[in-house]
């Protein structure tokens, strides 16, 4: 017990040792297990040539007694950017395309950041790495901007928190805004833009990227026009 306490006391100075890691769960038909393990061996060998690679492991498979086997693989890179480069490189994309003929389904989890939770439904599998960061930013702004404006208008009309100290009012406002984004707004934004908000390891065409960006920017401009009009009406 004392050993664990000593380790906990030194977590902060050694935070640099918590590398970027990702876990893949594969559902493989029993007949494909040998081919799958051979495919994964090729995937791991290719990963070793990429900058920042530290280690890759294939855990002991789990027999589900329904004709399929669950495999879990864990890969570690030195930084999030190096992991992203591996996940999006042409070599991995081609190998993963081949692998999809061997397994029925897969799920992906990356231990890196940030905003992925708001986009976990966008790729069709929970716990994904999330879309590229520029798409995440545009999507969050699309959800955040009207939420903040409408929330401010509602509070002003109801006379809520107007006499409160600014730090207190900001804290309550941020709690309400974050709750609305997490449970109401962002799940709907993710579903609306599902065709565009693919996980970072699933490449989309330039045309899809442009169409999605155009939709987001058009909706933001529409919000600006609408809110300016409402402001002119003194609403």
């Amino acid at each position: 017990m004392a050993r664990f306490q000593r380790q906990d006391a030194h977590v902060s100075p050694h935070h640099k040792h918590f590398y970027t890691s990702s876990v893949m769960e594969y559902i493989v038909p029993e007949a494909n297990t040998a081919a799958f393990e051979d495919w994964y061996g090729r995937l791991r060998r290719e990963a070793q040539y990429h900058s920042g690679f530290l280690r890759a492991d294939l855990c002991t498979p789990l027999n589900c007694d329904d004709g399929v086997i669950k495999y879990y693989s864990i890969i570690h890179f030195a930084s999030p950017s190096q992991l992203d480069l591996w996940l999006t490189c042409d070599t991995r994309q081609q190998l993963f395309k081949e692998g999809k003929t061997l397994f029925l389904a897969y799920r992906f989890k990356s231990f890196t950041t940030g905003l992925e939770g708001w986009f976990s439904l966008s790729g069709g599998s929970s716990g994904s790495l999330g879309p590229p960061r520029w798409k995440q930013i545009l999507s969050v702004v699309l959800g955040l901007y009207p939420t903040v404006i409408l929330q401010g208008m509602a509070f002003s009309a109801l006379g809520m928190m107007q006499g409160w100290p600014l730090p207190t009012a900001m804290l309550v406002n941020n709690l309400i805004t974050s709750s609305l984004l997490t449970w109401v707004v962002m799940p709907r934004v993710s579903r609306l833009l599902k065709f565009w908000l693919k996980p970072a390891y699933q490449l989309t065409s330039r045309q899809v990227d442009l169409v999605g960006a155009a939709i987001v920017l058009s909706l933001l401009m529409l919000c600006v026009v609408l809110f300016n009009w409402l402001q002119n009406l003194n609403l």
Side-chain angles (χ1 to χ4, degrees), residues 12-26:
S12 180
H14 298 291
H15 69 278
K16 64 182 181 179
H17 297 303
F18 287 87
Y19 304 108
T20 298
S21 305
S22 64
V23 178
M24 291 288 295
E25 177 186 47
Y26 302 94

Side-chain angles (χ1 to χ4, degrees), residues 11-231:
V11 168
S12 180
H14 298 291
H15 69 278
K16 64 182 181 179
H17 297 303
F18 287 87
Y19 304 108
T20 298
S21 305
S22 64
V23 178
M24 291 288 295
E25 177 186 47
Y26 302 94
I27 308 299
V28 183
E30 289 183 354
N32 293 350
T33 54
F36 172 83
E37 291 178 7
D38 178 70
W39 168 82
Y40 181 78
R42 290 190 291 130
L43 187 71
R44 180 168 53 188
R45 285 192 293 273
E46 288 294 336
Q48 293 173 353
Y49 293 108
H50 282 255
S51 175
F53 173 84
L54 298 174
R55 183 183 176 91
D57 298 291
L58 189 64
C59 301
T60 302
L62 175 65
N63 191 332
C64 299
D65 295 326
D66 55 0
V68 299
I69 305 294
K70 278 189 177 182
Y71 283 90
Y72 293 90
S73 68
I74 308 173
I75 191 168
H76 308 275
F77 275 80
S79 70
S81 60
Q82 289 168 323
L83 174 64
D84 287 345
L85 286 174
W86 160 243
L87 293 173
T88 57
C89 74
D90 291 340
T91 301
R92 184 187 179 279
Q93 294 294 323
Q94 182 58 42
L95 278 171
F96 209 78
K97 185 178 180 180
E98 296 177 20
K100 286 182 178 180
T101 64
L102 302 175
F103 46 85
L104 300 176
Y106 69 95
R107 290 191 297 179
F108 181 96
K109 177 66 180 178
S110 175
F111 301 95
T112 51
T113 54
L115 298 179
E116 292 95 335
W118 278 341
F119 302 97
S120 62
L121 298 178
S122 63
S125 60
S126 62
S128 69
L129 178 63
R133 289 179 175 86
W134 68 273
K135 292 185 180 182
Q136 293 188 30
I137 291 170
L138 283 179
S139 302
V140 171
V141 172
L142 177 62
L144 180 63
Y145 175 62
T147 300
V148 171
I149 294 291
L150 291 173
Q151 184 176 311
M153 293 173 64
F155 287 171
S156 178
L158 297 172
M160 295 177 60
M161 294 184 284
Q162 291 185 357
W164 291 21
L166 179 61
T168 305
M170 286 294 294
L171 174 62
V172 174
N173 267 289
N174 287 337
L175 285 172
I176 295 173
T177 301
S178 299
S179 298
L180 288 172
L181 284 176
T182 299
W183 287 310
V184 179
V185 178
M186 292 312 300
R188 287 166 174 77
V189 170
S190 295
R191 283 194 291 269
L192 173 67
L193 300 174
K194 182 177 180 180
F195 74 97
W196 183 63
L197 291 174
K198 298 293 185 182
Y201 57 88
Q202 291 184 5
L203 299 181
T204 54
S205 68
R206 183 177 298 274
Q207 182 180 3
V208 170
D209 286 346
L210 291 175
V211 169
I215 290 174
V216 172
L217 294 174
S218 297
L219 289 173
L220 286 171
M221 290 304 300
L222 180 62
C223 288
V224 170
V225 172
L226 175 62
F227 293 141
N228 281 329
W229 177 70
L230 291 175
Q231 186 179 43

